[in-house]
Amino acid sequence: QVHLVQSGAEVKKPGASVKVSCKASGYTFSRYAMQWVRQAPGQGLEWMAWIDAGNGNTRYPQKFQGRVTITWDTPANTAYMELNSLESEDTAVYYCARNLVGTTFFDYWGQGTLVTVSS
Amino acid sequence: QSALTQPASVSGSPGQSITISCTGSSSDVGAYNYVSWYQQHPGKAPKLMIYDVSNRPSGVSNRFSGSKSGNTASLTISGLQAEDEADYYCSSYTRSPTYVFGTGTKVTVL
């Protein structure tokens, strides 16, 4: 059974960094990519990043280039998303979601991690 | 990359059919048949309902169907049920290549 289990809620100050983890289980990791999607309070979904767990290739939208880093730890079967230079506007629930490489839909999602940025 | 445009809200009575539109451009929705739809209940993670415009994952009710014409995709829910009350988001792969989500639609069952 597929499971994506994310790390717990975080509270950070403006200017700090946050690193969220997503531990995967129940499937062949090398065949899948992991996406990161966020949702600000009361707002819609926003795609942030993509990593191919098989070869480590990454892709970021222009908005997040230089501020987001995603990695995959193969021995730990865990994806990480690090966001730097936090602002209050980064307060959101951050989700990981997997997709089979070569497809463009996200079939399993983590439970979400609330990151609150406040002074 | 701007978000895809969805109506803010759609409502219907139990048993009725409703349709949610998702309008993008020739760089995303119109570029490929790679539109997917997600259902999100309050406080929950999104759930995949439709992929590649019109395909249903195993376990999703056949009351949910998808289509596309030009730069606009649509999700239709037939035989509306109370449990369908949720937020719905479309998503499209883009030419960049990246992904873009829709603005979201709140479905209310009257």
Side-chain angles (χ1 to χ4, degrees), chain A residues 2-97:
Chain A
V2 176
H3 288 290
L4 301 177
V5 180
Q6 299 184 223
S7 49
E10 303 260 15
V11 179
K12 297 291 184 180
K13 293 191 180 302
S17 298
V18 68
K19 192 169 186 177
V20 179
S21 67
C22 171
K23 183 170 179 59
S25 62
Y27 66 96
T28 304
F29 311 112
S30 61
R31 298 181 60 206
Y32 288 82
M34 196 70 78
Q35 317 283 336
W36 288 90
V37 176
R38 75 177 183 180
Q39 186 171 36
Q43 302 301 308
L45 302 173
E46 182 176 31
W47 181 74
M48 297 180 67
W50 168 96
I51 184 166
D52 183 327
N55 58 25
N57 287 344
T58 58
R59 181 165 293 277
Y60 309 93
Q62 191 170 6
K63 173 178 179 176
F64 291 108
Q65 282 182 0
R67 209 160 70 91
V68 173
T69 302
I70 53 173
T71 54
W72 174 262
D73 182 338
T74 298
N77 301 329
T78 300
Y80 297 92
M81 186 283 299
E82 184 169 22
L83 182 61
N84 302 316
S85 304
L86 290 168
E87 305 172 350
S88 58
E89 291 75 20
D90 294 317
T91 293
V93 175
Y94 290 77
Y95 292 101
C96 60

Side-chain angles (χ1 to χ4, degrees), chain A residues 39 47 59 95 104-106 110, chain B residues 34 38 40 44 51 89 97:
Chain A
Q39 186 171 36
W47 181 74
R59 181 165 293 277
Y95 292 101
T104 60
F105 53 91
F106 315 147
Chain B
Y34 293 149
Y38 301 88
Q40 187 180 35
K44 300 295 186 182
Y51 66 93
Y89 294 91

Side-chain angles (χ1 to χ4, degrees), chain B residues 37-53:
Chain B
W37 289 89
Y38 301 88
Q39 176 193 65
Q40 187 180 35
H41 286 108
K44 300 295 186 182
K47 174 187 176 183
L48 177 68
M49 303 302 285
I50 294 287
Y51 66 93
D52 294 350
V53 173

Side-chain angles (χ1 to χ4, degrees), chain B residues 82-102:
Chain B
E83 67 207 49
D84 301 331
E85 187 162 292
D87 294 327
Y88 291 82
Y89 294 91
C90 60
S91 172
S92 177
Y93 188 67
T94 80
R95 290 187 187 276
S96 297
T98 57
Y99 293 90
V100 62
F101 283 96

